[in-house]
Amino acid sequence: MEMKKILLVDDERSIVKMLETVLRKEGFTKIYTAYTAKEALHILKEHAIDIIVLDVMLPDESGFDLCPKIRQLTNAYILFLTAKVSDLDVLTGFAIGGDDYVTKPFNPLEIVARLKAYLRRNPIDEQQANKPSHNYDFGRFTLHSNSGELFVNGRLTPCPAQVYMLLLYFCKHPNQILSKNELLEAVWGFDHYVDDNTVAVHIRRIRERIETDPSKPELLLTVRGLGYKLVKEKKQ
């Protein structure tokens, strides 16, 4: 945990200082801070950041506008800080590449809990680095479990952390119908509330990567009333 690099991005210095203090007390030691979108991008170009806590309201650019630029640089886990709680705002954050969100005002220990929950479920860590990688081959795409890489039609395809973890869970349970509740428990955990829209949006994000036509899925199927099922590509 202490090896994970965290970037805190918020123009409210008191919030950044509070989060940094609490994170250090909880064992996180590699913490970077930025107060503008420009500063955040500079840090991301210089350092391999693992986790980003990103405020939606920044002085030079919104977190929603910044997120796609971040995704061009890294697949790091992104947790939004937002005062907006409508479904549209939440779905917007997920759709552009965010992995989780916390609404202001918040308890800093909640942020710590979210990050620890993510790290517990993150299948890639230093101990696995030297282990042989297990590859899940579904024809059109291959997922490399240790390297955290997704190849679609032989080409490396960017895959944000939470999207990767959800796809990995499907790969480990091929041809099985998985309910939304099972996916929530296995991938997000019940450490905090996550609604059904979260699963649906992340399913869409997977389909945008692995399906020829995301609107007409052939691999990640919806089983009406029951959940979702990942199947192998049918041979021509």
Side-chain angles (χ1 to χ4, degrees):
M1 184 172 65
E2 66 275 5
M3 299 303 295
K4 297 298 182 181
K5 295 181 180 179
I6 300 177
L7 173 60
L8 306 177
V9 188
D10 196 313
D11 63 329
E12 295 186 53
R13 293 176 182 268
S14 60
I15 289 180
V16 172
K17 184 63 176 178
M18 174 184 65
L19 284 174
E20 183 177 6
T21 299
V22 173
L23 287 168
R24 289 191 184 281
K25 286 183 177 179
E26 292 294 324
F28 295 92
T29 60
K30 298 182 181 297
I31 301 174
Y32 301 79
T33 60
Y35 305 101
T36 66
K38 183 178 180 180
E39 290 176 357
L41 287 175
H42 176 74
I43 291 172
L44 288 167
K45 290 176 182 177
E46 297 292 325
H47 303 278
I49 299 296
D50 300 294
I51 295 172
I52 303 168
V53 179
L54 177 61
D55 186 29
V56 170
M57 303 300 292
L58 296 172
D60 53 342
E61 188 174 23
S62 78
F64 288 158
D65 290 333
L66 177 61
C67 191
K69 297 178 182 179
I70 292 176
R71 281 289 172 241
Q72 292 178 3
L73 300 172
T74 177
N75 287 325
Y77 180 86
I78 297 177
L79 186 151
F80 276 114
L81 299 180
T82 177
K84 301 178 180 180
V85 295
S86 72
D87 288 343
L88 177 60
D89 290 318
V90 172
L91 294 180
T92 296
F94 287 142
I96 61 177
D99 296 298
D100 202 352
Y101 71 95
V102 170
T103 55
K104 294 181 176 181
F106 59 85
N107 185 326
L109 292 177
E110 182 180 2
I111 301 292
V112 172
R114 301 284 182 99
L115 301 190
K116 287 185 175 181
Y118 160 67
L119 292 175
R120 284 198 302 271
R121 291 170 176 82
N122 185 357
I124 305 168
D125 58 29
E126 291 79 6
Q127 294 180 346
Q128 290 180 319
N130 296 322
K131 293 182 180 180
S133 178
H134 184 87
N135 300 336
Y136 296 91
D137 188 353
F138 281 77
R140 191 175 303 156
F141 77 90
T142 303
L143 194 72
H144 295 221
S145 64
N146 280 41
S147 64
E149 294 176 324
L150 170 64
F151 290 85
V152 181
N153 292 324
R155 302 182 65 176
L156 182 62
T157 301
C159 192
Q162 208 72 1
V163 177
Y164 168 86
M165 293 171 68
L166 180 58
L167 180 55
L168 178 63
Y169 190 77
F170 275 112
C171 289
K172 289 180 176 180
H173 302 84
N175 301 311
Q176 295 182 32
I177 298 175
L178 304 175
S179 69
K180 286 184 178 180
N181 284 340
E182 180 178 351
L183 295 172
L184 286 170
E185 182 175 10
V187 180
W188 281 269
F190 286 118
D191 302 281
H192 60 282
Y193 173 77
V194 182
D195 62 24
D196 287 353
N197 283 332
T198 298
V199 176
V201 171
H202 282 76
I203 291 291
R204 176 71 186 185
R205 292 170 71 187
I206 290 176
R207 286 171 172 166
E208 288 172 348
R209 288 166 170 79
I210 69 172
E211 300 284 1
T212 301
D213 182 352
S215 298
K216 299 178 181 179
E218 299 176 329
L219 302 177
L220 185 49
L221 308 178
T222 299
V223 182
R224 191 173 298 277
L226 296 176
Y228 303 94
K229 178 172 66 173
L230 181 66
V231 300
K232 289 196 173 185
E233 182 178 21
K234 295 180 180 180
K235 295 183 178 180
Q236 301 296 326

